[in-house]
Amino acid sequence: MLQPPHHPLQVAAVPAQRTPAREDDAGPWHSDAACRRDEAGLFFAPSKEPTAARLAREEAAKRVCARCPVMVECREHALMQPEPYGVWGGLTAAERRVALARRRRRDIELTAATTSEHIAAAG
């Protein structure tokens, strides 16, 4: 079971019950995650964390993500779930909200462009 976001996690930052069922010969993507080692507490905010401490912690977490071999898979997981807390795939929760909004806007624009092309071709 997930711990509340205000407690640092003492286990893997990617809970097994919420990960996709994708496994390959090497196992699930999160088994290779850098955050599974000793920095898991960096990825989730303790309660009433001061802003300066939060920013420093998030930057440290992003440095771990930057060297992670499965950063892209982690980021996609967090965007598809969507994960409401913590640093996942090198993005904070706020940065993921922005990325999702951009993705939705791009999808709407692509759909509109495709619809316009079909209407023009039919007309």
Side-chain angles (χ1 to χ4, degrees):
M1 182 144 208
L2 284 175
Q3 293 179 6
H6 58 277
H7 297 291
L9 291 180
Q10 299 301 315
V11 295
V14 182
Q17 69 270 23
R18 297 193 64 193
T19 56
R22 184 200 142 240
E23 292 190 22
D24 55 23
D25 293 339
W29 65 266
H30 53 86
S31 64
D32 293 329
C35 61
R36 291 187 67 102
R37 295 175 188 94
D38 18 61
E39 299 98 348
L42 289 176
F43 296 87
F44 294 92
S47 64
K48 299 180 182 177
E49 182 179 34
T51 301
R54 177 182 53 82
L55 293 172
R57 181 188 48 75
E58 288 173 345
E59 285 305 312
K62 288 177 179 187
R63 286 192 299 273
V64 173
C65 291
R67 71 175 199 273
C68 184
V70 294
M71 184 182 77
V72 173
E73 292 90 337
C74 179
R75 181 177 293 177
E76 281 305 309
H77 164 81
L79 291 170
M80 296 305 290
Q81 283 300 320
E83 292 291 351
Y85 304 107
V87 175
W88 291 75
L91 298 177
T92 64
E95 291 166 336
R96 288 192 304 278
R97 285 190 296 273
V98 169
L100 283 170
R102 286 180 181 156
R103 196 176 271 190
R104 283 187 207 106
R105 189 170 48 246
R106 184 195 69 217
D107 290 347
I108 289 169
E109 289 169 358
L110 289 173
T111 301
T114 303
T115 302
S116 296
E117 289 173 9
H118 286 295
I119 291 172

